[in-house]
Amino acid sequence: MLTFVLSLPFLIGLLVVATLGVVKAYLLMMRGVCRSTNNLTDKTVIITGANTGIGKETAIDLAKRGARVILACRDTKKALAAKDDIVRESGNDHVIVRHLDLASLWSVRQFASEILKNEPRLDILINNAGCVTMEKKLTPDGLEYQMQANHFGHFLLTNLLLELLKKSALSRIINVSSCLYTWKRTLDLNNLNSELSYNNSSLYHGVYYNSKLVQVLCTRHLAPLISQSGVTVNSVCPGLVNTEIFRSTSSWFQMAASFVLFIFSKTAKEGAQTSIHVAVASEISDVTGQFFCDCRIIKTSKLADNPNLAKKVWEISETCVDLKPEERNY
Ligand SMILES: NC(=O)c1ccc[n+]([C@@H]2O[C@H](COP(=O)([O-])OP(=O)(O)OC[C@H]3O[C@@H](n4cnc5c(N)ncnc54)[C@H](OP(=O)(O)O)[C@@H]3O)[C@@H](O)[C@H]2O)c1
Ligand SMILES: *[C@@H]1O[C@H](CO)[C@@H](O)[C@H](O)[C@H]1NC(C)=O
Ligand SMILES: *[C@@H]1O[C@H](CO)[C@@H](O)[C@H](O)[C@H]1NC(C)=O
Ligand SMILES: *[C@@H]1O[C@H](CO)[C@@H](O)[C@H](O)[C@H]1NC(C)=O
Ligand SMILES: *[C@@H]1O[C@H](CO)[C@@H](O)[C@H](O)[C@H]1NC(C)=O
């Protein structure tokens, strides 16, 4: 018995378990929680990708605060099921499902025009939807799929809804990005759409990071342009969260991911805390252009903090989504 306890494999095992325990305890301690109890009665919120994961938990919380919550989802059946859960858990039946496929610019324009026609106000826009996929495909708009679902679709949506957000000021835009954007050390402006990476696997794996970096840059660019109008825009990182996000990746990737997630991840409810905090907390009502993680502002990478780069990325994005002069509301 004693020889077993002193054996090397056992001691190594013990060390690994103890280390994981310490890391987990540290993560639990650092995890941010939204402490605001602000009431959102008479406020309208749009959350993209709200039928599952972080978006759904964000919707439940904001519905509990009395908001009118619009679930902007591409899968209406899944969204209606989510709506029933959200109504039941929040006791608020002002929850509406509207169809939005971010991978189609037509769908984004359609969605926005329905909103502008039917909603007298919009107080909070949460650009939450996102996907990780290793499939290489272009959308019907000729843009790279992941770039459009994560960035270009939201870029157009934000521009189209800006007019209504301004009218409803003070209002807030929240971009759900990811700390993983910091893995991008350079940004190739000639390949912002990432399509040129298709034939280069070492570049292709960077498309998700690319999309998340570009979100942070656009947030940085827009913030000062609209600060006078009482609309704030911030990006957040939810942390590592156990959701369906890896569903479109290869099975070996999913296996590796589920192991890491099992040990280190937050629940979707924990992962939603930073989005909720930035959407409702009073003390940050005039904070704009920042990046939040665990409910705290953190410094962005050098690349993401470059105003000239941000401006160029913004202009290229305008061209990619074919933004019309009358759709420009900043
Ligand atoms: N989980 C993490 O560890 C983590 C870490 C950092 C950042 N994030 C970010 O957090 C956000 C939420 O992710 P999650 O973890 O909650 O993932 P999730 O469970 O996979 O939920 C993603 C949501 O986005 C929607 N979506 C995807 N593509 C769409 C499209 N083309 N049009 C409309 N909706 C679309 C999905 O709708 P369907 O159900 O129809 O597919 C789903 O509702 C994402 O932006 C993600 O990048 C997550
Ligand atoms: C929010 O305020 C309204 C009245 O202003 C009240 O009726 C409602 O119960 C409050 N909701 C919550 C969740 O505190
Ligand atoms: C983030 O915010 C900017 C506006 O500052 C918007 O144009 C951009 O598309 C948003 N990105 C996403 C996907 O959240
Ligand atoms: C990638 O390579 C294929 C065949 O080798 C070619 O047809 C395609 O045009 C290339 N795509 C890009 C974006 O360069
Ligand atoms: C792929 O991209 C990397 C990084 O830019 C580059 O070093 C490499 O030469 C490229 N490979 C091919 C086959 O183009």
Side-chain angles (χ1 to χ4, degrees), residues 7-28:
S7 71
L8 197 59
F10 179 80
L11 289 177
I12 291 175
L14 199 65
L15 194 68
V16 169
V17 170
T19 310
L20 291 178
V22 169
V23 171
K24 182 80 192 173
Y26 176 79
L27 290 176
L28 281 175

Side-chain angles (χ1 to χ4, degrees), residues 37-42 61-67 90:
T37 55
N38 279 352
N39 187 317
L40 296 180
T41 304
D42 299 331
D61 185 284
L62 302 187
K64 279 184 181 163
R65 296 168 191 266
S90 65

Side-chain angles (χ1 to χ4, degrees), residues 17-213:
V17 170
T19 310
L20 291 178
V22 169
V23 171
K24 182 80 192 173
Y26 176 79
L27 290 176
L28 281 175
M29 207 174 71
M30 294 307 287
R31 143 191 90 171
V33 177
C34 174
R35 305 203 180 278
S36 166
T37 55
N38 279 352
N39 187 317
L40 296 180
T41 304
D42 299 331
K43 306 266 188 212
T44 301
V45 181
I46 293 178
I47 307 175
T48 66
N51 61 13
T52 183
I54 297 165
K56 183 176 172 189
E57 288 298 334
T58 307
I60 292 172
D61 185 284
L62 302 187
K64 279 184 181 163
R65 296 168 191 266
R68 172 177 170 82
V69 180
I70 300 169
L71 314 176
C73 301
R74 66 174 162 181
D75 181 340
T76 305
K77 211 169 129 208
K78 208 168 145 187
L80 287 170
K83 174 194 157 164
D84 289 343
D85 293 345
I86 296 165
V87 168
R88 184 161 24 80
E89 286 201 36
S90 65
N92 175 349
D93 57 9
H94 298 291
V95 180
I96 297 107
V97 170
R98 283 204 181 271
H99 184 261
L100 169 66
D101 181 356
L102 290 156
S104 154
L105 297 178
W106 177 84
S107 171
V108 173
R109 287 193 165 88
Q110 191 69 20
F111 172 86
S113 79
E114 289 285 310
I115 294 293
L116 296 178
K117 203 162 64 196
N118 295 300
E119 300 294 331
R121 59 182 303 118
L122 175 59
D123 302 275
I124 301 171
L125 168 64
I126 306 187
N127 290 320
N128 165 83
C131 63
V132 177
T133 164
M134 292 180 184
E135 210 183 322
K136 300 173 184 178
K137 60 179 176 190
L138 300 182
T139 66
D141 302 297
L143 295 168
E144 200 287 322
Y145 182 84
Q146 213 175 169
M147 280 302 293
Q148 184 168 343
N150 294 354
H151 167 65
F152 292 119
H154 283 126
F155 177 85
L156 178 60
L157 180 68
T158 306
N159 274 291
L160 297 177
L161 296 178
L162 203 49
E163 179 195 338
L164 187 58
L165 284 157
K166 279 184 169 175
K167 232 169 46 186
S168 318
L170 303 171
S171 53
R172 306 187 189 192
I173 303 168
I174 293 98
N175 278 338
V176 183
S177 179
S178 167
C179 298
L180 292 180
Y181 86 83
T182 53
W183 289 12
K184 283 288 292 186
R185 293 287 166 190
T186 56
L187 182 65
D188 181 0
L189 289 175
N190 295 319
N191 187 23
L192 192 67
N193 185 37
S194 306
E195 185 193 338
L196 300 176
S197 314
Y198 274 10
N199 289 344
N200 187 329
S201 62
S202 76
L203 281 177
Y204 187 69
H205 289 294
V207 175
Y208 179 75
Y209 314 136
N210 209 54
S211 71
K212 294 291 160 180
L213 168 65

